[in-house]
Amino acid sequence: MPGSTGQPTLTLSRVAFDAVLFDLDGVITRTAKLHIAAWKTMFDDYLEQRARRLGETFQPFDPDRDYREFVDGKARHDGVVGFLASRGIVLPLGDPGDPPERESVWGLANRKNRLYLDLLATRGVEVFPSTLTLIRRLRALGFKVAVVSASKNCAEVLRAAGIAALFDARVDGLDLERDRLRGKPAPDSFLAAARRLGVDPARAVVVEDAIAGVQAGRAGRFGGVLGVDRTGHRDALAAAGAHWVVADLEEVAAVPA
């Protein structure tokens, strides 16, 4: 892990904070790599077919730059819109029920989700042990803990990993759709989690590995925004507004006072 010291470099005090809100993919679970693979397969298939049909040059999806800038941390359909816009492509929005074969924003989003679920079924869910260690420590000290994710598969992933009971609240992609919440970088999902926990955002810490998630934490005026740099983008997380950046949550300690 880039820059990980293995020793605490940041301490969260129960005096300063009441709650910690964790992103899922890339922070709690290692499912980010499955998402990246699914996005790349979906976009490359679509872009190659489109280029062949229009007589254009095929430019593949970059799993580092394109994922980080346009997709990571966002709701699926927002990720589709953002990335396609970067290529000058505009598609009809369509409907959430669009089949994966339909050439619409929701069609491509659903195609990506089908690929992701296939990967999840074959590869399973891996977790970051250091994150679970920190969550258990926080709970023991009386912190409230929530998971906040743009994924509609959040509950399924938590159950598959056997960690659903660790969280006092969950806000995910299903909540965004049902309650008409804006996705990250808007702060709506984190603010909804704070309300469910009954805590003031100023007394809560957001933990994110995505630029959009860090921006959401700052937009919501949370007391702390902790960036987790597992991919060598420390400067980008800091530029997005993270108060602190660590390579792994083993660098974070929690104390009662």
Side-chain angles (χ1 to χ4, degrees):
M1 287 163 287
S4 178
T5 66
Q7 297 296 323
T9 59
L10 170 66
T11 299
L12 300 180
S13 169
R14 186 66 182 81
V15 172
F17 300 110
D18 298 319
V20 183
L21 284 55
F22 290 84
D23 176 47
L24 179 67
D25 301 310
V27 174
I28 299 171
T29 63
R30 296 180 183 269
T31 41
K33 62 184 180 182
L34 303 185
H35 282 289
I36 293 171
W39 280 115
K40 180 164 178 60
T41 297
M42 184 277 288
F43 276 132
D44 282 359
D45 286 349
Y46 173 70
L47 292 171
E48 188 170 18
Q49 292 173 16
R50 179 185 173 89
R52 188 164 52 245
R53 185 174 73 239
L54 300 179
E56 299 175 346
T57 300
F58 167 54
Q59 181 184 352
F61 177 83
D62 188 309
D64 180 21
R65 185 186 66 253
D66 289 334
Y67 179 76
R68 179 164 39 90
E69 292 185 12
F70 305 115
V71 172
D72 191 17
K74 298 180 181 178
R76 279 197 302 274
H77 67 286
D78 288 337
V80 172
V81 171
F83 171 71
L84 292 183
S86 76
R87 299 293 180 89
I89 300 172
V90 178
L91 293 181
L93 178 61
D95 182 85
D98 279 0
E101 297 76 21
R102 185 160 296 167
E103 190 177 5
S104 67
V105 168
W106 275 108
L108 294 185
N110 291 336
R111 192 181 310 179
K112 180 267 172 181
N113 191 50
R114 183 175 64 183
L115 290 165
Y116 169 72
L117 292 176
D118 288 344
L119 290 171
L120 191 65
T122 57
R123 300 187 189 181
V125 178
E126 297 179 51
V127 298
F128 291 99
S130 56
T131 301
L132 300 190
T133 296
L134 176 61
I135 289 173
R136 292 185 174 106
R137 172 67 174 163
L138 291 168
R139 290 177 61 86
L141 292 174
F143 286 86
K144 295 182 179 180
V145 180
V147 56
V148 180
S149 173
S151 174
K152 293 182 179 180
N153 303 307
C154 181
E156 180 181 346
V157 170
L158 294 176
R159 284 194 296 269
I163 57 175
L166 288 179
F167 302 96
D168 301 297
R170 183 187 79 245
V171 175
D172 59 23
L174 296 174
D175 295 292
L176 267 65
E177 183 175 305
R178 184 189 63 243
D179 299 335
R180 299 182 182 275
L181 303 176
R182 296 171 299 167
K184 305 169 189 176
D188 300 27
S189 55
F190 284 118
L191 293 173
R195 287 193 297 271
R196 291 184 185 183
L197 294 176
V199 300
D200 184 339
R203 295 277 303 175
V205 175
V206 165
V207 185
E208 267 282 0
D209 71 323
I211 291 172
V214 167
Q215 292 171 333
R218 287 305 298 258
R221 298 186 178 183
F222 281 82
V225 179
L226 172 58
V228 183
D229 171 34
R230 302 193 192 279
T231 56
H233 299 109
R234 175 180 292 266
D235 292 344
L237 292 171
H243 294 99
W244 320 281
V245 180
V246 298
D248 187 83
L249 292 180
E250 67 183 358
E251 297 179 42
V252 182
V255 296

